Amino acid sequence: MDLFDNLAKTFFDVQAMADVLPQLLQVGLVNTLVISIAATAIGSVLGMVVALMGISPSGWLRWPARVYTDLFRGLPAILTILLIGQGFARFSQQIFGPSPYPLGIIALSLISSAYIGEIFRAGILAVDKGQLEACRALGMGYGRAMRLVVVPQGVRRVLPALVNQFIAIVKDSSLVYFLGLLVSERELFRVGQDAAVLSGNLSPLVLAGLFYLIVTVPLTHLVNYIDQRFRAGRRKPAPPVSGLREVAELEIVESARP
C-alpha cells in the first residue's frame, strides 16, 4: 500500500493539481493555442509557397525549395528553435522587445512550413493531370488553372494530414520554453514544470499532460472522421438498376398495340 500511496502523492496529488489549474487554464493553455495556431497559419502560407516552388518547371525555383525542405525537416526541432531564438535575439529586441515569444513562433513556423510544403506538394501532384490540361484547353493560363482548379483540389485531399501537422505543432510548442519565456507567456509545459519544481511534486506536470491530451485526442479522431468522409464520399453510390422493368414495360406497350 505504501507504494501505491507514494505513486498517488507523486503523480495524482489533487491539491497540487488544484493549485496550478488556474494558471494552466488562463496562461498555459492560451499561450499554447496562440503559438500553435499562429505557427500553423504562417507555416501554411510559407508551405504553399514552398510547394508551388517545388513543382515549378523552373529548376531555379525547385532547388531552393528542395534545400529549404531538407534543411528544416532534417534538423531537430529544438536545435532550430535555439538557433532562431538565440541567434536572432538581438534583431528581435529592436522589433518585438525583450520577449523571445515571437521568435519561438517564427521558429515553429519555419519547421512546420517544411512539412506542410511537402503535404501540399503531394496533394497537388495527386490531382489528375487531365484537370490542368482541361483548364488549358478552356483558355486558362497556368497560374489561373493552378489557383482556381488544381490547388483547391489538392488542399482538399490533404486536410487530414494538415490536422495531423497541427497536432504535431501543439506538442512541439512545449520546446519554446528553452528560450526563457516571460511569466505571462509560459505555455502548458512551462507552467506545469514551474509548479512541479516549486511544489516538489509531479502532479502539475501530469495535469499539463492531460491538457495536451484534451487538445490532441479530439483532433486525432477528427482526422479519422474527415479521412473516412473523404474516402467514402458525401453520397453513397446508387445501387444498380435492373433493365428488366423497362423490358417488361416495352412488352406491355407492344401487346397493347392493335
Side-chain angles (χ1 to χ4, degrees), residues 159-178:
L159 281 178
L162 290 176
V163 179
N164 272 329
Q165 184 58 37
F166 176 73
I167 294 174
I169 295 172
V170 170
K171 293 184 289 186
D172 285 345
S173 65
S174 62
L175 300 175
V176 177
Y177 94 96
F178 281 103

Side-chain angles (χ1 to χ4, degrees), residues 84-85 88-103:
I84 299 295
F88 294 91
R90 182 174 302 177
F91 302 100
S92 175
Q93 289 180 0
Q94 301 175 2
I95 302 175
F96 305 113
S99 172
Y101 195 85
L103 289 178

